[in-house]
Amino acid sequence: MNDKEAPLSNPIISNNPYFKTGQQRPNQAPQAYQQGYGQQQPNQQGYGYPDQQYQGQQYGGYPEQSRQGAFQPSAQGSPFGADDGRMTYQDALNKVGILLGLAIISGVATAILVPPALWMPVAIGTVIAAFVVGMILAFQRMVKPGLAIAYSVLEGIVLGAITVAFEQIIPGIAVQTVMATAIIVGVTYALHYSGAVRTSSKGRKIVLTVMLGYLIFSLANLVLMLFGVFDNQAWGMRGYEIAGIPLGVVLGAVMILVAAYMLIADFEDINIAIENGAPKEFSWTTGIAIVMTILWIYIEVLRIIAILNSRN
C-alpha cells in the first residue's frame, strides 16, 4: 500500500475518497495536480479548489509533519484560509465536541428521567436503533449531520441507562468510568499531538484483525449466555480467570489499547482529509468517527470496573 494512502481504520471515515490519493475526489479537477495554487480556478461543482502542490508537497497524503515529529494542527487547514470551504482541524474538533456533548446530555437525561424499571428495556431498544444508524453511517461517503446527531443521542441513551443501572449496584462507578475515559482520551490525544505515537499500515491491519476477533468472541459469549450455558457466571466467558485475573479484565485492557490506537488513527485521518481538500461538511464524518471510538473506550472501562467490583 502506498504510504500516502490511509489504511483501513475506522469504517466511518476510511470509506471515503478523501483518504485515498489515487481516487478523484468531489472537489478535484482531473488535471489539477501539477498546477500552482496561484493558478487555480474553482471547479464546476462550486465548492473547494482542485488539489495542488503547495510549498513543494503535493496534497493528497499524510502531511509531512504527521510522519516526522510533532503535528501542529493549522487553524486554516489549507493555503486559501479558513473561509475557502475546506475543512479545518478546528472544524473537526468542534463537531467532536458537539456530538460528544449530545451523548453526555442524553445519557444524563436518561439516568434522571427514565424510571428504573425501564432502564434495561430502553437500553435494549436504543442499542438496536443505534446499531441500525451505525450501519447506515458506515456506508455513507459523507455523513449527514442528522444521522451523526441521532447516533450520538441514541448511544448516550444506551450508556446512560446501563451506567445508572450499574450505579445502583456499584456506587461511584459512573464517576470512575467518566474520569478514566477522560484520562485515556486525553493521554491518547497528547501522544498524537506530540508525535510520540504514529500508526502504520501494518499496525492498522493488526488492530482490525484484533477487533474482528473480539467482535466474534463477544457475539459468541452473548449467545451462550442467552442460552443459559453459564448459569453461575454473570459475565460468561469473561468471568473465567487467567492467573487470578478475570478474562474480561484482560480483554478489556487489550481493547482499550486497541481503541486508543484507533483514536490516534482517527486524528491522523483528519490530517489526511485536510490535506486532500475535504469540504467543511466532512467534519461531521470525522467527528462521529472519533466519538464512536471514545464511546467504545467508555464501554470497555465500565465493563472492567464492573467485573472487578463483582468479585468483591
Side-chain angles (χ1 to χ4, degrees), residues 285-308:
T285 305
T286 55
I288 191 61
I290 290 175
V291 169
M292 283 181 169
T293 307
I294 292 175
L295 295 181
W296 176 24
I297 293 174
Y298 180 93
I299 292 172
E300 295 299 335
V301 172
L302 180 67
R303 183 184 288 120
I304 287 176
I305 296 176
I307 292 175
L308 289 175

Side-chain angles (χ1 to χ4, degrees), residues 138-270:
F139 290 97
Q140 284 195 326
R141 295 165 70 86
M142 186 81 74
V143 170
K144 294 178 176 59
L147 283 175
I149 291 172
Y151 182 86
S152 295
V153 171
L154 288 170
E155 280 291 329
I157 294 173
V158 173
L159 297 181
I162 293 174
T163 302
V164 72
F166 275 121
E167 183 71 21
Q168 303 306 305
I169 304 171
I170 309 170
I173 191 173
V175 174
Q176 295 174 41
T177 304
V178 170
M179 291 182 62
T181 302
I183 292 172
I184 293 170
V185 173
V187 170
T188 300
Y189 182 74
L191 291 173
H192 157 71
Y193 190 87
S194 68
V197 177
R198 287 286 175 259
T199 66
S200 66
S201 176
K202 182 177 180 180
R204 294 192 187 202
K205 289 178 180 178
I206 293 174
V207 161
L208 179 61
T209 302
V210 173
M211 288 172 57
L212 292 175
Y214 183 68
L215 176 61
I216 294 172
F217 167 84
S218 298
L219 292 175
N221 189 56
L222 177 62
V223 170
L224 293 174
M225 291 178 66
L226 290 176
F227 281 92
V229 175
F230 306 104
D231 294 332
N232 299 319
Q233 182 54 263
W235 296 99
M237 289 186 286
R238 297 180 192 273
Y240 292 136
E241 295 188 356
I242 301 177
I245 302 176
L247 178 60
V249 173
V250 176
L251 289 175
V254 171
M255 296 316 297
I256 287 175
L257 292 176
V258 169
Y261 189 91
M262 287 291 297
L263 190 58
I264 291 176
D266 291 342
F267 284 121
E268 289 178 352
D269 288 343
I270 291 178

Side-chain angles (χ1 to χ4, degrees), residues 26-219:
N27 60 339
Q28 173 188 337
Q31 303 299 326
Y33 279 97
Q34 302 304 322
Q35 301 178 12
Y37 78 82
Q39 301 172 334
Q40 301 303 314
Q41 299 295 326
N43 64 31
Q44 295 180 352
Q45 290 185 327
Y47 71 90
Y49 285 81
D51 287 351
Q52 63 255 277
Q53 290 189 354
Y54 177 60
Q55 294 182 347
Q57 180 181 356
Q58 179 178 312
Y59 274 67
Y62 284 102
E64 192 65 28
Q65 60 267 44
S66 292
R67 299 193 301 268
Q68 299 177 2
F71 170 72
Q72 300 295 331
S74 168
Q76 292 181 325
S78 81
F80 301 101
D83 296 324
D84 65 353
R86 292 181 180 230
M87 183 183 79
T88 66
Y89 203 82
Q90 191 60 49
D91 289 333
L93 294 184
N94 288 344
K95 298 308 186 295
V96 172
I98 291 171
L99 295 172
L100 193 58
L102 289 172
I104 293 173
I105 291 171
S106 61
V108 172
T110 300
I112 295 175
L113 301 177
V114 176
L118 296 179
W119 286 339
M120 285 302 101
V122 166
I124 293 173
T126 50
V127 77
I128 294 174
F131 176 78
V132 173
V133 174
M135 291 300 295
I136 296 174
L137 291 174
F139 290 97
Q140 284 195 326
R141 295 165 70 86
M142 186 81 74
V143 170
K144 294 178 176 59
L147 283 175
I149 291 172
Y151 182 86
S152 295
V153 171
L154 288 170
E155 280 291 329
I157 294 173
V158 173
L159 297 181
I162 293 174
T163 302
V164 72
F166 275 121
E167 183 71 21
Q168 303 306 305
I169 304 171
I170 309 170
I173 191 173
V175 174
Q176 295 174 41
T177 304
V178 170
M179 291 182 62
T181 302
I183 292 172
I184 293 170
V185 173
V187 170
T188 300
Y189 182 74
L191 291 173
H192 157 71
Y193 190 87
S194 68
V197 177
R198 287 286 175 259
T199 66
S200 66
S201 176
K202 182 177 180 180
R204 294 192 187 202
K205 289 178 180 178
I206 293 174
V207 161
L208 179 61
T209 302
V210 173
M211 288 172 57
L212 292 175
Y214 183 68
L215 176 61
I216 294 172
F217 167 84
S218 298
L219 292 175

